[in-house]
Amino acid sequence: MLTRRAALALPALIPASALAQPWAPTRPGRIIVPFTAGGATDVTARIMAERLSALLGQNYVVDNRPGAGGNVGAEMVAKADPDGHTLLMGTIGTISINQFLYPRLPFDPQRDFASVALINQVTNAVVVHPSVQAQSFQELLALARRQPGRLNYATPGNGTSGHMSGEYLKFRTQVDINHVPYRGTGALIPDLLGGRVEIAVDNLPAYIPHIREGRLRILAVTSRDRWFAVPDAPTVQESGVPSFEAVAWFGLQAPARTPRAALDRLTAACVEICAEPATIARFRELGAMASPLGGAEFDRFIAAENDKWREVVRVANIKLE
């Protein structure tokens, strides 16, 4: 029988690692993708699910829950049990932009989620049909100023990063061009190839084959630096718009009140995965760049994005239902 003194001494004999075991999932988990299968959000989530399963010892599966610009899936995660088993593959829209576009969201992006990690980024690009009489971004701006209200720019839809990047361009350059929203990139590209719309502002990857084959012309990328997949294309900054940057990005979030131990373990796993050469290569095949940021750094990144897009939405006076 243990004496009281011996019982009190027991914790000192137990290794610290045993007293503070790192968190691990206790059952299979899921990553909610708030868009349909096959897009960049979905593919990024599948890469992360595969590697998280290997590192954490429990299967993480992808669960596609599209609708309302990503808000349906995001709401599911906001209301899920905060135990580290349900994650959101969030985007620039669900995490940042939508809160300013939709006046009645059923969740609060700033209150109802805990940041796990920023995963990767994809630049947007300004792409034109070859018939457009502009060989550079500066020439396109000059053309738009000579013909105010005559040019149209297409995007995959209202509230997408392409739409917001286009409005940010209009705001920063003071040109008058009209937004034409499509129902996804798949619907947009045939019309751009056919010359039925002159300009597209959209995530770059789907356009690369057409650019390389000369069917479309890229005038600029919206990232801060030139993009590895199209190294000859200048940035909007280089083209005369100082400090311009607008990229699509993807990151994992968990429900608010998820225990710190779970968040820390998930963050560490994500940062490790994003540093793996195989993961970096798989992202590059998508036209994406691994950009890992841990929870606190991701929070600061989100805050800066919120400041930018809040102002763009206000100036453009965009509201969605």
Side-chain angles (χ1 to χ4, degrees):
M1 185 173 182
L2 286 175
T3 66
R4 182 172 182 275
R5 179 177 295 178
L8 292 173
L10 271 178
L13 302 177
I14 301 173
S17 58
L19 290 173
Q21 286 292 333
W23 176 87
T26 57
R27 64 179 188 276
R30 59 179 177 161
I31 299 177
I32 301 293
V33 172
F35 301 99
T36 55
T41 315
D42 177 72
V43 177
T44 296
R46 291 178 190 280
I47 292 170
M48 296 304 295
E50 176 187 321
R51 295 299 299 128
L52 282 172
S53 299
L55 287 179
L56 299 179
Q58 288 280 358
N59 282 338
Y60 275 79
V61 299
V62 169
D63 185 355
N64 297 88
R65 298 298 181 108
N71 294 329
V72 170
E75 181 184 5
M76 289 183 64
V77 177
K79 296 177 179 179
D81 290 338
D83 57 11
H85 294 88
T86 302
L87 304 175
L88 173 69
M89 191 75 250
T91 69
I92 183 176
T94 61
I95 297 175
S96 181
I97 294 172
N98 285 5
Q99 63 191 301
F100 310 118
L101 288 177
Y102 294 87
R104 290 182 293 275
L105 282 181
F107 58 89
D108 185 331
Q110 299 186 52
R111 185 190 63 217
D112 293 340
F113 297 97
S115 293
V116 175
L118 179 68
I119 303 300
N120 61 16
Q121 300 184 48
V122 173
T123 190
N124 288 317
V126 180
V127 181
V128 299
H129 186 267
S131 64
V132 174
Q133 299 299 304
Q135 299 297 317
S136 68
F137 184 73
Q138 296 98 321
E139 290 181 6
L140 181 66
L141 293 181
L143 180 63
R145 288 173 178 137
R146 289 196 303 270
Q147 303 176 8
R150 295 285 300 278
L151 294 179
N152 300 312
Y153 83 95
T155 75
N158 287 314
T160 62
S161 68
H163 180 201
M164 292 296 98
S165 295
E167 293 302 315
Y168 191 31
L169 282 169
K170 289 172 61 175
F171 169 48
R172 291 291 308 277
T173 61
Q174 296 298 296
V175 296
D176 180 9
I177 58 177
N178 305 307
H179 177 225
V180 181
Y182 279 74
R183 298 185 71 174
T185 297
L188 187 168
I189 288 180
D191 274 9
L192 185 63
L193 289 169
R196 290 178 287 277
V197 66
E198 304 101 323
I199 307 162
V201 183
D202 194 2
N203 294 171
L204 170 66
Y207 296 80
I208 291 175
H210 305 294
I211 293 166
R212 289 176 177 166
E213 293 173 12
R215 295 194 293 266
L216 297 174
R217 184 163 61 245
I218 184 169
L219 300 186
V221 293
T222 61
S223 48
R224 181 185 60 192
D225 303 311
R226 292 196 179 202
W227 204 252
F228 67 90
V230 286
D232 294 333
T235 66
V236 170
Q237 284 195 53
E238 288 178 82
S239 303
V241 187
S243 303
F244 187 94
E245 182 178 11
V247 296
W249 44 266
F250 308 87
L252 283 171
Q253 293 186 304
R257 301 178 303 283
T258 297
R260 173 50 53 188
L263 293 174
D264 288 346
R265 182 68 186 98
L266 289 164
T267 296
C270 288
V271 171
E272 179 179 344
I273 291 165
C274 290
E276 294 172 347
T279 301
I280 293 169
R282 292 176 74 181
F283 285 160
R284 288 175 72 91
E285 289 173 3
L286 296 175
M289 185 179 296
S291 307
L293 291 177
E297 291 178 297
F298 190 18
D299 282 338
R300 289 190 287 272
F301 176 89
I302 292 169
E305 289 287 282
N306 287 347
D307 289 343
K308 176 193 296 180
W309 298 117
R310 181 189 296 109
E311 181 65 7
V312 171
V313 171
R314 184 190 69 78
V315 170
N317 193 30
I318 307 167
K319 291 295 179 187
L320 302 178
E321 295 297 330

